[in-house]
Amino acid sequence: MTHDAGVTSALRDWVAPDIGMDGPNYRALIREALKFKQGYPDRAREVLLGRAIYFLFFNPSLRTRSSFVTGLSKMGGLPIVLDPDGIYTPALPGDEMPYATERISDVARVLSEFGDAIGIRMYGEPAKWVYGHAHRCIEAFAKWSGIPVINMECDRFHPCQALADVMTLTEKLGSLNARRLCISWAYSGSWHKPVAVPQSLLLAAAKCGMDITVSHPRGFELDAGVASTAGAFAKESGATLRFVNDFREGINGAEVVYAKSWCSLTCLPKHLGSPVNEARMTDLFEQHRDWCVTDEVMALAAPEAGYMHCLPADRGQEVSDGVLDGPRSWVFAQAGNRLHAQNAIMTKLLNPMCLS
Ligand code: CP
């Protein structure tokens, strides 16, 4: 089975729901996630009794790992976190090394013999920073597995994060129609964060009808194809999109400031084996050290505006301690919602009869 942008209500995988799931179905899933939270833990109990999911993390994780393991365990399932160093590295044709890698088509079919779903996190170094390569690996898993595949963050999308984000926005703001969201780039001392979070959030917010401003310095443009897809979703939902290159202009009047760092796609290699242009990347970052969300910056936003970040945050670089720990910070409610959003996702994939 292949999985493309046409997959909507019969979604079998959670690889690229950001582009493959239409607005009405996506908004229905947000409501399901909220119901999971309101009824927790009773709503979740035994919903996935006996289901086994393999979780493969090629990058570090605190929230995604712990929320999936906790959520599936509370639903009566069996989470199995595979150590990437303890298996043969899954690889696409052309990237294989004898007795060190195993073709993804083989790994996917073997795990499909044992379990009920596969979750994968892969971006950055494990995919040699070639933009789109990690996503292609996850797509290959989905193509060859007989069981659902969940994208736990690749180099293009972080759909589980985005669902928790719009769930949090709904709790804080009610209807999201025409509510003012600023998705902003922020400075970090590391360039190694992918564009997955802002891209998935952009698509999710566009499906929810928000008034969206994406703000970043020149050189940090998001994937043009993703921006174009967001525009298509905006037409359906009534969302508005605007792109600016001025930090303060983007935040001015926003009801939500979602500011985090991401790498410059212009500095990433096009092909495996080519290097990242680290000198240019670092130079681009260092020119914009002032893109840090402080109390003074938040004062430009709407009076009751909230601050969001997927975490981990680089304190003193992306955001000040005062904002992150202050009354305008929604980040811990946001992190907590990962559990409920993913419970809804796993149930949609493995036991959809249990959704209302
Ligand atoms: N936001 C997020 O995905 O956190 P982790 O990297 O800790 O999983």
Side-chain angles (χ1 to χ4, degrees), residues 57 60-66 121 123 152-153 158 161 197 309-312 338:
F57 287 91
S61 169
L62 171 70
R63 282 142 288 270
T64 308
R65 181 190 301 241
S66 51
R121 165 168 290 194
Y123 60 80
M152 301 195 299
E153 188 174 11
H158 196 351
Q161 179 68 55
V197 168
H309 190 295
C310 58
L311 302 179
R338 295 292 303 276

Side-chain angles (χ1 to χ4, degrees), residues 14-49:
W14 196 256
V15 172
D18 310 272
I19 53 174
M21 195 174 191
D22 64 23
N25 276 303
Y26 193 76
R27 294 190 292 272
L29 190 59
I30 298 169
R31 292 193 291 275
E32 291 292 347
L34 289 164
K35 280 188 206 161
F36 262 95
K37 182 172 183 177
Q38 284 149 13
Y40 192 77
D42 293 346
R43 172 76 181 83
R45 197 163 285 135
E46 300 200 345
V47 165
L48 294 182
L49 195 62

